[in-house]
């Protein structure tokens, strides 16, 4: 049985004070709802506020990115060790916004995944196709290639991958459009097949594959009912504590 992850990706929203206010509004609303792993991924500047507010709860805190080197002359970058020292447990890697606006490549995602794993963070690796790639029938090829490169050289100990993957069709992010269960099911199948090839069958069967793309309180239950969907990566609808609490309590 794969424990689901419900993760909030706040992108470039919320100051530390706003993040703290969110947490104090969220905590009582999800009290006792520990069926799934809940993770909040604020901007770097609000990580500390969320770590402090989450103390004593089961909520994990994730960064939205990191660099693969441990330290050095890399102005503006942050390492896995720096995140761990703050009390961060998770990290999103390869989000499509990073790939699109900051030129992040599959190779970079692979290097970051290796660094995050060896430091002991739980990475959530994002993959997904553009609308024109779906329209031209390339979805499976695109997702397969992203996974193949991301998983290259990754070792799995004890049969369980220490990372998760999020399938995020780019055309569904922030657009109000959601992949149908059939689309998500097929894409998750491709990701699991690629995982089986690179990581082994047992690891693939234990890999958690989240869905992301306009997840809202109204559609969470039907998405989470799909046997191959192991959680959600939520952008816009995670910014409001009431809305995110409804998603957690789907
Ligand atoms: C995301 O940022 O990963 C995302 C899925 O955004 P949204 O839920 O707003 O589509």
């Amino acid at each position: 049985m794969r424990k689901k992850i419900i993760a909030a990706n706040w992108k470039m929203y919320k100051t530390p004070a706003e993040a703290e206010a969110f947490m104090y509004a969220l905590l009582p609303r999800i009290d006792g709802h520990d069926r799934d792993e809940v993770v909040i991924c604020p901007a770097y500047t609000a990580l500390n506020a969320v770590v402090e507010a989450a103390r004593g709860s089961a909520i994990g805190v994730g960064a939205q990115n990191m660099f693969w080197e441990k330290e050095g002359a890399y102005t503006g970058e942050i390492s896995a060790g720096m995140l761990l020292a703050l009390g961060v447990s998770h990290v999103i890697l390869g989000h499509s916004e990073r790939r699109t606006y900051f030129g992040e490549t599959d190779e970079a995602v692979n290097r970051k995944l290796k660094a995050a794993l060896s430091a002991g963070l739980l990475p959530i690796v994002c993959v997904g196709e553009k609308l024109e790639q779906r329209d031209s029938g390339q979805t499976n090829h695109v997702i397969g290639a992203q996974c193949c490169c991301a998983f290259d050289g990754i070792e799995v100990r004890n049969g369980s991958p220490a990372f998760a993957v999020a399938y995020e069709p780019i055309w569904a992010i922030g657009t109000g459009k959601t992949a149908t269960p059939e689309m998500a099911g097929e894409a998750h199948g491709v990701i699991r097949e690629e995982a089986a090839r690179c990581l082994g069958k047992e690891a693939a069967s234990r890999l958690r594959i989240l869905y992301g793309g306009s997840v809202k309180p109204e559609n969470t239950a039907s998405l989470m009912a799909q046997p191959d969907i192991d959680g959600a990566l939520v952008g816009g609808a995670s910014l409001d504590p009431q809305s995110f609490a409804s998603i957690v309590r789907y």
Side-chain angles (χ1 to χ4, degrees), residues 36-98:
D36 303 323
E37 212 170 296
V38 176
V39 185
I40 307 287
C41 304
Y44 288 138
T45 48
L47 281 169
N48 192 49
V50 176
V51 166
E52 289 304 324
R55 216 176 274 289
S57 77
I59 295 179
V61 184
Q64 299 170 18
N65 182 30
M66 54 161 264
F67 190 48
W68 58 75
E69 292 291 352
K70 287 194 172 82
E71 59 183 9
Y74 303 105
T75 302
E77 293 296 334
I78 290 198
S79 71
M82 289 168 176
L83 295 173
L84 279 168
L86 264 187
V88 168
S89 50
H90 294 64
V91 63
I92 298 172
L93 297 176
H95 191 280
S96 61
E97 287 153 14
R98 295 223 48 90

Side-chain angles (χ1 to χ4, degrees), residues 7-11 92 95-97 126 166-170 172-177 211-216 233-238:
N9 174 17
W10 284 355
K11 312 192 187 203
I92 298 172
H95 191 280
S96 61
E97 287 153 14
C126 302
Y167 167 57
E168 296 211 306
I170 296 171
I173 296 181
T175 58
K177 292 181 190 151
Y211 168 78
S214 298
V215 174
K216 299 186 248 348
L233 183 54
V234 189
S238 74

Side-chain angles (χ1 to χ4, degrees), residues 198-211:
C198 302
L199 312 170
K201 273 198 177 144
E202 189 188 352
S205 71
R206 294 190 188 178
L207 178 68
R208 291 180 288 180
I209 307 176
L210 283 54
Y211 168 78

Side-chain angles (χ1 to χ4, degrees), residues 225-248:
Q226 301 304 314
D228 230 15
I229 297 186
D230 307 315
L233 183 54
V234 189
S238 74
L239 291 167
D240 173 71
Q242 190 151 350
S243 148
F244 188 61
S246 306
I247 291 173
V248 171

